[in-house]
Every structure is written in C-alpha cells, then in structure tokens.
Amino acid sequence: MNRQFLRYLQMSLFTLDLLALNLSFFIAIFFLRTGIPHDHFRAYAIYFTISNILWLFLSFALRTYTDKIILVFDIFTKRSLQAYLLWIVIMFIYLFFFRQIEISRLFLIIAMLGFGTGLMFNRFLYLSIKNYHKRTDVFLNRVLIIGYNDVAKKLARYFEEDGLKTEILGFIDDNEN
C-alpha cells in the first residue's frame, strides 16, 4: 500500500477519534446546559482534559494506529474496543478516587456512550473507504515472486488473503520449474 496514503489514513482515523471524543463531550454539555452550575465548570474542564490525554496515551500505548493493526479491520476494531474499555475503566477510577462528584452521572453516560458510538461510526466509515479503494485500482501492488517452492506458494496465498490489493504477476524460477 502507498506509504503516504497509509500515513494519511492513520492521521485521519486518529483525528476522527479525537473529534468523536470531543464532540461527545460537547453534545453532553449541550443536553445538560441548564443542569450544570457555573461553579462546576472547573471539574468539567479537568474531565475534558484528562479524557483527551488518556485517550492519546492509551491509543499510543496499545499501538492502535500502527501499520500492521490498522490494515486489518478486525484487529483494528478489537484494539480500538480494548482502548475504549480501558479508557472507561481508568476514567471511572479517576472519578472515584478524585471524588469528582460535581460531574453529572447523566453527563458521563451521554459522553462515554457518545464516544463509543463515534468510535463505531469511525470504524464503519473506515471500512467503507477501505472497501471502496479495494474495488478501484488506485493502490494496486504488483508482485513478482522469485522462486517457485512451498515458501513462494505461502507468500502468494498471503498476498491473496491480505487486506491489501495485490496482483501477483507470476513466479520466476529455473526453466525446469
């Protein structure tokens, strides 16, 4: 796959996930705008900052957006779900141990479920973009395999099953083979 496109895809998904996190925060604030006292603004700002920093840390620590993971939809989705669930657990630990009682429970439910929904939407958006590019020949890799043995056959099978669009041109070997 084109390295430049892969970097663009990684940055786009990372940005969309952060956008989903922040959008869920602001949607929850919008729905509860009359129920949040002004003197609790500091607690919500700290929650906002910690949730963003924690998502950045977890997504990089779990290597959610690396080349090998992002190219296989199932693995990428599982890794994102792991990061999301770990994010929820750590956020609840933060809320419990730092006694953040000023933050509304309804706000937390809306923000956390909204973020999960945004992540799921981003994954399906990614899947549709990936399927679109698989149908087109924009990023077609042409491969010529040197040698014709069991290893070469395994390599050909790998390229055929891989999520990348790869065309095997053929095998090159001695005249006997």
Side-chain angles (χ1 to χ4, degrees), residues 19 23 41 51 58 61-62 72 90 92 102 121 126 148 157:
L19 182 66
L23 190 63
F41 175 74
S51 65
L58 287 175
L62 294 175
V72 182
I90 294 173
F92 277 131
E102 297 92 10
F121 175 77
Y126 162 69
Y148 188 75
R157 237 180 287 121

Side-chain angles (χ1 to χ4, degrees), residues 5 7 16 19 27 50 59-60 68 77 80 83 87 89 109 123 127 140 148 150-152 166:
F5 178 73
R7 296 291 174 244
L16 283 173
L19 182 66
I27 287 173
I50 288 177
S59 61
F60 283 111
K68 304 263 188 226
T77 304
S80 299
W87 177 82
V89 168
I109 291 170
R123 297 309 170 261
L127 183 62
L140 181 65
Y148 188 75
D150 291 336
V151 175
T166 305

Side-chain angles (χ1 to χ4, degrees), residues 17 20-21 24 47 51 54-55 58-59 62 64-65 76-92 108-120 123:
D17 289 349
L21 174 62
S24 68
Y47 171 85
S51 65
L54 182 62
W55 180 255
L58 287 175
S59 61
L62 294 175
T64 306
Y65 303 102
F76 180 52
T77 304
K78 286 177 187 175
R79 187 64 58 94
S80 299
L81 182 63
Q82 289 172 349
Y84 172 67
L85 293 176
L86 192 57
W87 177 82
I88 286 177
V89 168
I90 294 173
M91 287 306 294
F92 277 131
L108 291 173
I109 291 170
I110 293 171
M112 289 183 175
L113 290 179
F115 179 45
T117 305
L119 283 176
M120 188 172 41
R123 297 309 170 261

Side-chain angles (χ1 to χ4, degrees), residues 139-151:
F139 299 109
L140 181 65
N141 291 321
R142 291 181 174 87
V143 175
L144 185 62
I145 299 175
I146 299 174
Y148 188 75
N149 54 22
D150 291 336
V151 175

Side-chain angles (χ1 to χ4, degrees), residues 8-171:
Y8 173 75
L9 184 64
Q10 289 171 324
M11 289 306 298
S12 297
L13 284 169
F14 179 71
T15 304
L16 283 173
D17 289 349
L18 274 179
L19 182 66
L21 174 62
N22 294 321
L23 190 63
S24 68
F25 176 84
F26 289 115
I27 287 173
I29 289 286
F30 177 76
F31 279 123
L32 300 173
R33 66 184 176 272
T34 58
I36 299 174
H38 290 287
D39 57 336
H40 293 166
F41 175 74
R42 185 172 187 267
Y44 285 91
I46 292 172
Y47 171 85
F48 175 76
T49 305
I50 288 177
S51 65
N52 276 288
I53 291 170
L54 182 62
W55 180 255
L56 290 172
F57 174 75
L58 287 175
S59 61
F60 283 111
L62 294 175
R63 300 175 352 116
T64 306
Y65 303 102
T66 58
D67 299 352
K68 304 263 188 226
I69 291 173
I70 203 169
L71 291 177
V72 182
F73 179 74
D74 296 340
I75 296 172
F76 180 52
T77 304
K78 286 177 187 175
R79 187 64 58 94
S80 299
L81 182 63
Q82 289 172 349
Y84 172 67
L85 293 176
L86 192 57
W87 177 82
I88 286 177
V89 168
I90 294 173
M91 287 306 294
F92 277 131
I93 290 171
Y94 156 73
L95 293 169
F96 179 76
F97 283 113
F98 287 93
R99 300 180 189 259
Q100 295 297 322
I101 57 174
E102 297 92 10
I103 298 177
S104 166
R105 288 176 292 213
L106 184 60
F107 166 82
L108 291 173
I109 291 170
I110 293 171
M112 289 183 175
L113 290 179
F115 179 45
T117 305
L119 283 176
M120 188 172 41
F121 175 77
N122 288 345
R123 297 309 170 261
F124 286 114
L125 178 68
Y126 162 69
L127 183 62
S128 64
I129 290 171
K130 184 178 178 182
N131 286 337
Y132 170 76
H133 283 296
K134 277 178 103 173
R135 285 190 302 262
T136 62
D137 287 340
V138 175
F139 299 109
L140 181 65
N141 291 321
R142 291 181 174 87
V143 175
L144 185 62
I145 299 175
I146 299 174
Y148 188 75
N149 54 22
D150 291 336
V151 175
K153 290 177 188 176
K154 281 184 182 179
L155 182 63
R157 237 180 287 121
Y158 169 76
F159 281 135
E160 289 172 352
E161 294 171 359
D162 194 15
L164 305 173
K165 186 144 185 168
T166 305
E167 178 185 2
I168 298 175
L169 297 176
F171 298 88

